[in-house]
């Protein structure tokens, strides 16, 4: 029977019409824990750098390298992870990334000098960079179309959980003793253990399975979600998507398809948005404790301020999760990026503790809400054959900014001060706004299966 005459019986259509079930919740939570562990690792580094700057008497250049090297690994990891996920599967790559960066983080606790730590942080970055676009792609391909954006923002909100954990570790472990940073890295071994949970407990993408010609596995996965919802299996179930009818796996699509006439605008818009958001976010939050110390606040007090800012991420995600289905992806992105730009200028100009706290809370609220919307719209923008590749490439291009930002922030701070640095961050948010304004509105639409016509 042709899927053209009964599209409602295709496996992806059956997934799209399901309510949010226990099976969705397990997938979201399983991917979200991995996401939180990723955030915890990234967040811990900002506290470790502030401690090592004092303990190891690091130069500005050494600090900048340590701040950037992980993001260099993330850029490579994001690009490779996306390609691998479209070839060998989302779940497989997700589990591998957790294993890689968990083991490398734990090994970082034994580092005795800058050179060793640089190598290990690059390896950590490979795993971290690959995980995020792959996890968001997997969850996006299972989420019902009408709430897909909200589900991905909730997934992104696990970042705040991990960053809060990092803030607590920084405040009570890193700052607690001279070897506190080593204990913090040992805690970062947790993702390696969690990789087993991902490999055993999470489902593979139905869309990926169908493209590989693994229709029995795809059908079994859909039926598990239907059973979780109490939905009876249709009498004529098991029809593949429009993209893959049956038989042999679908052809592999080359990366250059991202820049064909049909996809070029989406790719350019996403790359600009990812670049601007990465530069501003990692430039600000990687060095937030260090900049506060440089402006006269003690180590413990600067860590406490950063913890307060981090807590503001949660309401930012919550508001974005509600608005993304009410306003749409593009409107939420533009609005939250505008709020981020204004907040960045306010933080730079803040001259008192209350002003610093208000501006920092606002910056965290708007910035992380924008991140949630960006992770929602990125996998939606590409067809199944290129979804992980496109998401990974956009993430990788953004990571170039996260490499650049830690390298230039401290030298910029020496020349133009805190005000100038945060004005630069505001300009990066404006660049991201320009990119997001070019995106198509995808609220409520089904994910594309086939490549669009030019």
């Amino acid at each position: 029977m042709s899927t053209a005459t009964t599209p409602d019986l295709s496996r992806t259509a059956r997934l799209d019409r399901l309510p949010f079930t226990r099976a969705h919740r397990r997938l979201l939570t399983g991917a979200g824990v991995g996401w939180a562990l990723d955030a915890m690792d990234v967040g811990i580094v900002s506290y470790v750098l502030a401690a090592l700057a004092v303990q190891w008497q690091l130069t500005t250049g050494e600090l900048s390298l340590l701040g950037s090297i992980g993001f260099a690994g993330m850029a490579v990891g994001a690009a490779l992870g996306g390609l691998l996920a479209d070839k060998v599967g989302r779940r497989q790559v997700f589990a591998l990334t957790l294993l890689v960066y968990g083991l490398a983080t734990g090994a970082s606790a034994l580092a005795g000098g800058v050179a060793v730590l640089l190598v290990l942080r690059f390896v950590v970055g490979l795993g971290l960079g690959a995980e995020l676009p792959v996890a968001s792609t997997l969850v996006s391909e299972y989420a019902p179309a009408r709430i897909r954006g909200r589900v991905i923002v909730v997934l992104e909100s696990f970042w705040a959980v991990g960053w809060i954990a990092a803030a607590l570790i920084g405040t009570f472990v890193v700052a607690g003793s001279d070897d506190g940073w080593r204990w913090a890295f040992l805690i970062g071994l947790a993702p390696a253990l969690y990789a087993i949970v991902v490999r055993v407990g999470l489902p593979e993408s139905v869309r990926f399975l169908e493209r590989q010609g693994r229709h029995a596995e795809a059908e079994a996965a859909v039926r598990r979600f239907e059973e979780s919802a109490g939905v009876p299996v249709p009498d004529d179930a098991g029809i593949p998507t429009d993209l893959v009818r049956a038989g042999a796996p679908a052809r592999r699509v080359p990366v250059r398809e991202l820049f064909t006439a049909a996809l070029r605008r989406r790719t350019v818009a996403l790359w600009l948005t990812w670049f601007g958001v990465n530069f501003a976010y990692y430039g600000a939050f990687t060095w937030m404790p260090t900049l506060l110390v440089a402006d006269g606040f003690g180590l413990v007090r600067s860590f406490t301020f950063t913890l307060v800012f981090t807590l503001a991420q949660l309401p930012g995600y919550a508001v974005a999760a509600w608005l993304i289905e009410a306003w749409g992806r593009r409107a939420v992105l533009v609005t939250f990026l505008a709020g981020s730009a204004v907040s960045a200028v306010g933080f730079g100009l803040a001259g008192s503790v209350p002003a610093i706290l208000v501006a920092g809370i606002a910056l965290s609220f708007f910035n992380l809400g924008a991140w949630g919307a960006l992770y929602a719209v990125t996998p939606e923008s590409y067809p199944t054959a290129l979804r992980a590749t496109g998401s990974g490439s956009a993430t990788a291009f953004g990571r170039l900014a996260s490499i650049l930002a830690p390298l230039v922030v401290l030298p910029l701070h020496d020349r133009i001060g805190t005000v100038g640095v945060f004005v630069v961050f505001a300009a990066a948010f404006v660049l991201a706004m320009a990119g997001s304004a070019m995106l198509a509105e995808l609220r409520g639409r089904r994910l594309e299966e086939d490549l669009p016509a030019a």
Side-chain angles (χ1 to χ4, degrees):
M1 184 175 292
S2 170
T3 56
T5 58
T6 58
D8 59 307
L9 294 180
S10 69
R11 296 185 183 108
T12 54
R14 287 157 60 195
L15 283 176
D16 273 340
R17 70 180 179 225
L18 290 177
F20 190 80
T21 69
R22 289 191 305 275
H24 290 103
R25 190 177 299 111
R26 283 195 297 270
L27 172 60
L28 178 59
T29 304
V33 171
W35 202 286
L37 291 170
D38 192 329
M40 184 182 76
D41 192 286
V42 174
I44 283 173
V45 172
S46 65
Y47 296 94
V48 169
L49 289 177
L52 290 183
V54 177
Q55 188 179 137
W56 285 4
Q57 296 294 297
L58 298 179
T59 65
T60 297
E62 289 171 329
L63 276 173
S64 297
L65 280 174
L66 284 170
S68 291
I69 192 67
F71 296 116
M74 290 174 81
V76 176
L80 293 179
L83 287 169
L84 282 174
D86 278 332
K87 291 181 179 180
V88 303
R90 284 68 159 129
R91 181 182 60 184
Q92 302 276 63
V93 176
F94 188 11
L96 178 62
T97 61
L98 289 165
L99 183 65
V100 168
Y101 83 75
L103 292 176
T105 298
S108 299
L110 304 176
V114 173
V116 173
L117 195 56
L118 282 170
V119 172
L120 289 171
R121 291 312 301 171
F122 180 81
V123 176
V124 168
L126 290 175
L128 292 173
E131 183 204 330
L132 298 179
V134 173
S136 61
T137 297
L138 176 60
V139 175
S140 183
E141 289 180 332
Y142 269 102
R146 66 188 177 281
I147 58 168
R148 186 174 58 243
R150 186 165 295 158
V151 170
I152 299 303
V153 176
V154 172
L155 172 65
E156 232 291 284
S157 71
F158 280 86
W159 184 269
V161 176
W163 203 273
I164 289 168
L168 291 171
I169 292 168
T171 303
F172 298 108
V173 178
V174 177
S177 68
D178 288 345
D179 287 331
W181 64 273
R182 296 186 188 275
W183 289 109
F185 278 145
L186 281 175
I187 294 171
L189 267 171
L193 300 175
Y194 191 68
I196 301 171
V197 176
V198 170
R199 181 63 184 84
V200 174
L202 296 190
E204 183 54 88
S205 163
V206 169
R207 288 170 167 87
F208 170 79
L209 291 171
E210 286 200 333
R211 281 195 58 80
Q212 298 300 306
R214 295 156 61 181
H215 299 296
E217 293 175 67
E219 180 63 24
V222 174
R223 292 192 181 203
R224 282 196 297 272
F225 276 73
E226 288 176 329
E227 289 168 5
S228 178
V231 173
V233 177
D235 292 336
D236 199 8
I239 295 174
T241 62
D242 290 335
L243 183 61
V244 182
R245 303 292 184 190
R251 71 177 181 90
R252 289 179 177 174
V253 180
V255 178
R256 64 177 179 271
E257 290 284 344
L258 295 174
F259 293 95
T260 57
L263 295 176
R264 187 183 305 120
R265 180 184 176 92
R266 308 180 196 185
T267 298
V268 171
L270 286 169
W271 284 28
L272 285 176
T273 308
W274 275 91
F275 190 92
V277 172
N278 269 273
F279 186 92
Y281 175 78
Y282 286 107
F285 284 92
T286 298
W287 295 118
M288 189 77 77
T290 303
L291 294 177
L292 288 169
V293 170
D295 286 348
F297 297 97
L299 192 65
V300 174
R301 196 178 188 195
S302 68
F303 283 6
T304 303
F305 283 2
T306 306
L307 174 58
V308 172
F309 302 155
T310 303
L311 291 172
Q313 295 180 12
L314 289 172
Y317 284 125
V319 174
W322 178 71
L323 290 177
I324 199 165
E325 301 298 357
W327 288 4
R329 283 74 161 131
R330 186 171 53 197
V332 170
L333 260 176
V334 171
T335 301
F336 275 68
L337 289 169
S340 299
V342 172
S343 301
V345 173
F347 190 90
L349 294 173
S352 65
V353 170
I356 289 172
L357 288 173
V358 169
I361 288 170
L363 178 59
S364 189
F365 175 94
F366 285 112
N367 198 346
L368 276 297
W371 270 115
L374 183 56
Y375 268 107
V377 75
T378 301
E380 292 179 336
S381 298
Y382 293 105
T384 295
L386 284 169
R387 187 163 297 122
T389 299
S391 298
S393 69
T395 306
F397 189 76
R399 296 304 178 197
L400 297 179
S402 63
I403 298 168
L404 178 64
L407 286 173
V408 303
V409 165
L410 293 185
L412 275 177
H413 185 265
D414 292 341
R415 292 191 176 190
I416 61 179
T418 300
V419 176
V421 166
F422 277 86
V423 169
V424 172
F425 295 153
F429 282 127
V430 171
L431 173 66
M433 287 174 62
S436 61
M438 295 167 58
L439 293 168
E441 180 51 58
L442 301 172
R443 177 179 52 172
R445 297 188 190 179
R446 290 187 61 189
L447 294 175
E448 286 182 283
E449 303 298 343
D450 208 348
L451 294 172

